[in-house]
Amino acid sequence: MIPLNLPTFDIKLQGTREHPRVFDILRRRYVSLTPEEWVRQNFVHYLIGHLGYPATLLANEIQLQVGQKQLRADSVLYDQRLHPRMIIEYKAPTIALTQKVFDQITAYNLLLHADYLIVSNGLQHYCCKMDYDGKKYLFLDHIPRYEEL
């Protein structure tokens, strides 16, 4: 996997060279190590280890349903009452973070009503704070530490 614009962490791998698997500390199991999963694991460890996010309030691969359509948010941060506080969408490092990616996470937020949205491909990261009164999102110049939320 290519180096990302995130701090390194002590990665736990298993499987074969052709089919590597990485330990997901939130799901507590090994999952296929795809390029998008590489970004997810690095980002989750960054949030927990460097920005003080509690692992107990984070979850990966959250199922959502819109009518008959099944959606899946990559990661969600909850508050102490288990209301969604932040949605995080990951893309592989080779995928550009376009308006389509923001449209995708915005669709998830129509269901979850989180205060923050983050998109990352491991090389670029964008964090937005929702302005529900103004019906827009405001880009932040950094990813906030947990205590800043």
Side-chain angles (χ1 to χ4, degrees):
M1 294 289 155
I2 68 169
L4 302 176
N5 186 17
L6 291 162
T8 59
F9 70 99
D10 186 21
I11 189 168
K12 294 180 184 176
L13 296 173
Q14 72 172 29
T16 65
R17 180 177 283 263
E18 295 79 25
H19 301 287
R21 296 167 57 82
V22 62
F23 188 74
D24 182 327
I25 61 170
L26 300 181
R27 290 179 271 185
R28 295 182 183 96
R29 62 182 172 92
Y30 282 89
V31 296
S32 293
L33 182 56
T34 63
E36 183 178 308
E37 193 63 43
W38 176 242
V39 174
R40 179 194 338 264
Q41 293 306 315
N42 276 270
F43 205 91
V44 165
H45 281 269
Y46 169 61
L47 291 175
I48 295 168
H50 295 269
L51 298 182
Y53 286 61
T56 56
L57 297 179
L58 281 163
N60 285 336
E61 298 283 325
I62 300 304
Q63 295 286 335
L64 306 171
Q65 188 164 341
V66 178
Q68 299 297 325
K69 189 171 184 176
Q70 293 284 331
L71 302 174
R72 187 175 9 227
D74 288 335
S75 294
V76 175
L77 171 73
Y78 296 92
D79 65 17
Q80 297 291 338
R81 295 179 314 262
L82 299 181
H83 296 117
R85 194 76 206 278
M86 177 183 286
I87 305 169
I88 309 163
E89 178 63 26
Y90 309 107
K91 296 298 179 193
T94 56
I95 304 296
L97 300 178
T98 63
Q99 184 62 47
K100 185 176 178 182
V101 178
F102 286 94
D103 292 345
Q104 179 182 4
I105 197 169
T106 301
Y108 298 160
N109 202 34
L110 289 173
L111 297 170
L112 297 178
H113 306 286
D115 296 325
Y116 294 88
L117 306 177
I118 295 177
V119 296
S120 176
N121 64 5
L123 303 173
Q124 295 179 295
H125 325 289
Y126 294 98
C127 182
C128 306
K129 181 168 179 26
M130 295 304 301
D131 174 2
Y132 287 105
D133 293 333
K135 298 182 182 177
K136 60 185 175 183
Y137 41 82
L138 308 170
F139 284 92
L140 304 180
D141 62 358
H142 69 289
I143 297 168
R145 296 187 55 78
Y146 181 72
E147 63 264 10
E148 293 177 64
L149 300 179

